Amino acid sequence: MKKFAIILTAVMCICVSCGEKNNSESDSEDIQSPTVVTEIITDVPEKIADRTDGYDEVIKSYRKCMENNSIGNMMKLSYPDKYFEIFSFMAEISDMTIEEVMGTLQSYSANTIRINEIISDEIVENPNDITDILIQNYGDYQIISDYIDEQGGMEKVDTEKFNEFMDNAEYNTENITLYFKPENVHRLKCKMESYIKDTETEPEIYEQDYIVYYIDGEGWKMDTYLTE
């Protein structure tokens, strides 16, 4: 079903920051291993929701989650709240909890990633440029959100009809309007270090862009900046 593809797509941005295993033999073993259940924050700390002081706090929290390979919490800090709820909803109707989905991904991730340095921090003068990127990232979720709203909310969605909708929906995001507008947008360029713990392998050094922005009523979000 398409919902599985969307779940996988949803976490790819996170996996960019968490690293992936390359050894095919170890991959096979990990796929067979039991699911690792991980705890996911449910309440955004007040500091992150604060419009004035939350900017530095979300960067600090995101970096900490990254170094701890806490994929679920990174996703919580990245995703607009409504889309994270939809992700959780789709996981649950797939007979998995959001913690189990994130735990599986967490156990599959081999590399530890660290933001060594924020090279530049630029204010984005035209938030519409970022809105276009966010539509690429979350447009499918907005389409699903609109469908759920039409049904009267998640508690009233019929699972069978939802699966049918997911299988047949056309995910055309050209005319999508997100439920929020990003405010106070920053674009960060960061020097990254990727390494595998307890090995003598030299760490990989590279650069990665991120966006940090404010959602009125929700707080600050930090997201991997992908243009494709």
Side-chain angles (χ1 to χ4, degrees):
M1 296 180 186
K2 287 184 179 178
K3 66 172 177 288
F4 292 108
I6 290 177
I7 287 176
L8 290 175
T9 300
V11 299
M12 285 308 295
C13 292
I14 301 298
C15 288
V16 167
S17 297
C18 293
E20 299 176 356
K21 292 183 179 177
N22 297 318
N23 185 287
S24 58
E25 183 177 349
S26 63
D27 286 353
S28 177
E29 293 174 356
D30 287 323
I31 291 173
Q32 300 301 322
S33 64
T35 297
V36 176
V37 178
T38 184
E39 182 179 356
I40 297 179
I41 56 176
T42 55
D43 298 318
V44 176
E46 184 176 348
K47 289 183 179 179
I48 293 177
D50 185 84
R51 186 186 293 266
T52 302
D53 300 324
Y55 175 77
D56 291 330
E57 191 67 28
V58 73
I59 296 174
K60 176 182 176 182
S61 297
Y62 189 93
R63 294 175 73 167
K64 182 177 179 181
C65 289
M66 178 183 291
E67 292 192 29
N68 291 335
N69 193 26
S70 181
I71 297 175
N73 288 335
M74 286 172 62
M75 190 172 178
K76 180 67 174 174
L77 294 172
S78 297
Y79 267 48
D81 291 354
K82 195 170 187 178
Y83 302 147
F84 187 84
E85 291 173 3
I86 291 172
F87 182 94
S88 302
F89 173 74
M90 290 193 296
E92 289 173 5
I93 66 173
S94 301
D95 296 323
M96 294 186 73
T97 66
I98 183 66
E99 289 82 6
E100 288 172 338
V101 173
M102 292 296 102
T104 299
L105 289 166
Q106 186 168 319
S107 66
Y108 187 73
S109 177
N111 291 13
T112 296
I113 308 295
R114 176 183 295 121
I115 296 178
N116 272 350
E117 178 186 356
I118 298 176
I119 301 171
S120 63
D121 182 342
E122 299 178 354
I123 296 177
V124 178
E125 299 294 345
N126 185 3
N128 289 334
D129 295 340
I130 297 300
T131 299
D132 292 341
I133 298 299
L134 291 173
I135 287 175
Q136 291 181 42
N137 291 348
Y138 299 120
D140 290 351
Y141 282 87
Q142 187 61 52
I143 291 171
I144 296 168
S145 175
D146 292 342
Y147 172 84
I148 291 174
D149 288 344
E150 290 172 2
Q151 307 308 305
M154 293 181 185
E155 67 281 357
K156 295 186 178 180
V157 171
D158 179 271
T159 300
E160 185 175 341
K161 290 182 179 179
F162 180 77
N163 288 335
E164 183 179 349
F165 166 78
M166 293 292 294
D167 285 336
N168 297 298
E170 294 184 5
Y171 295 95
N172 183 350
T173 59
E174 290 183 1
N175 298 317
I176 288 297
T177 300
L178 302 178
Y179 78 91
F180 68 94
K181 293 183 179 180
E183 302 176 12
N184 301 345
V185 182
H186 290 242
R187 182 172 176 178
L188 308 182
K189 182 177 292 294
C190 300
K191 180 184 290 185
M192 312 294 297
E193 178 183 286
S194 172
Y195 62 95
I196 300 177
K197 290 183 177 180
D198 302 321
T199 69
E200 297 180 357
T201 306
E202 289 294 322
E204 178 187 359
I205 306 297
Y206 61 97
E207 292 183 1
Q208 173 69 50
D209 288 353
Y210 291 89
I211 52 173
V212 182
Y213 61 95
Y214 187 82
I215 298 178
D216 188 31
E218 295 185 16
W220 290 92
K221 302 292 179 179
M222 182 169 177
D223 208 351
T224 309
Y225 185 85
L226 297 178
T227 57
E228 297 181 0

